[in-house]
Amino acid sequence: SSLENVNLIVRKYGLLGPENWGEDILFQFRLENRFWNLLVEIDRKYRDKYREIMAGDEIYGEIQRAIDAAKERSGDLFAEIKACRQRKEPCENLKTERAEIGAKIKTLALRAAEERERVRAAAKPELEILEIARKEEMKHARQAIATEGLWWCNYNAVMDSFAVARSKAMKEGEELHFHAFDGTGRLVNQIQGGLAVADLLRGANSQVQVEPVQDGAWDHPSRGERRRRQRTRMSVTAYTARPSQGDEGEDPAVGKRIRRQLSFPMIFHRPIPSDAIIKMVTVKRERIGSAYRWSVVFTCVQKRGAEVEREPSPKVCGINLGWK
């Protein structure tokens, strides 16, 4: 169905640490991080080439150089203001100058936008060749990271995130940043054709399975009992790989890939609407201080007009008595 005919439903649940964690999962996270940095490197190279083409126009180039100089001076002033504050010295003159430079940058940006369209039209053939080359290099980077072992669902997720971040950065005139690896990552399962909730709970899909919760998990009068009954288990595909000769568990079928499943204790604290179709399941590992927190997000669609099932809750009134 098209997006106009469906409701988008997102459900997030907490997970405890995986029961069968291994360094191979961490390797997937490292490859995701490496792939992101490769895409950023490619983007920066081609944005530099784009700027060279645009700066070749005398009028636009002069305006852009003035903007760059003003931004550099604004950054220097910000550092000076911060140092003055630390020394508890007055810095009103610096703030005034920085505000004036900010207004100047806005004026120059408007002029640059007007000239940019003219320059783009004149350099259209050259810019089209540049964009084709950029996309081709991204394609090669994707093929290379897949050869290293990054699963297609996981590299697709990185490319989607990169596309969103790049669009935002271009609108705001910012640069994309490289990411240092800190042990975080995500495991994505795109469910081709979608997955019914009933099939999820009866283990009919090879990618994702969730064991049914106990009766009363969402409507038992005792909150503590609800929380106990909401505990279940989930299993997701972390990646698939072709077995090497002699690997334990090797499938004799030619070309058959081995599926690496990762299992978690799950807190299934609210139901997914029974008529929803699950399109994507994303398991995330986030760094919180020196520890890691796991969660899973189900992205679903539901035919528009259907009533979204809501978690039943008693009518209560909360009173904030303050932190004391």
Side-chain angles (χ1 to χ4, degrees), residues 41 52 69 72 75 163 211 239 311 316:
E41 184 178 351
E52 288 177 10
E72 184 177 355
E211 295 179 4
Y239 63 89
E311 182 181 359
V316 297

Side-chain angles (χ1 to χ4, degrees), residues 193-210:
L195 173 64
V197 176
D199 291 337
L200 170 75
L201 297 176
R202 66 184 181 90
N205 185 273
S206 60
Q207 288 181 253
V208 186
Q209 306 92 37
V210 174

Side-chain angles (χ1 to χ4, degrees), residues 150-167:
L150 186 60
W151 191 37
W152 70 271
C153 282
N154 295 332
Y155 68 61
N156 276 349
V158 175
M159 292 192 72
D160 290 343
S161 295
F162 179 81
V164 172
R166 182 174 183 268
S167 177

Side-chain angles (χ1 to χ4, degrees), residues 270-285:
R270 64 183 302 194
I272 301 174
S274 58
D275 60 343
I277 300 298
I278 300 165
K279 292 291 189 179
M280 184 180 296
V281 180
T282 305
V283 171
K284 294 183 179 180
R285 189 194 198 207

Side-chain angles (χ1 to χ4, degrees), residues 25 66 83 93 126 144 164 198 230 259 266 278:
I25 308 297
N93 58 328
E126 195 173 357
V164 172
Q230 288 164 3
R259 188 177 298 276
M266 176 182 177
I278 300 165

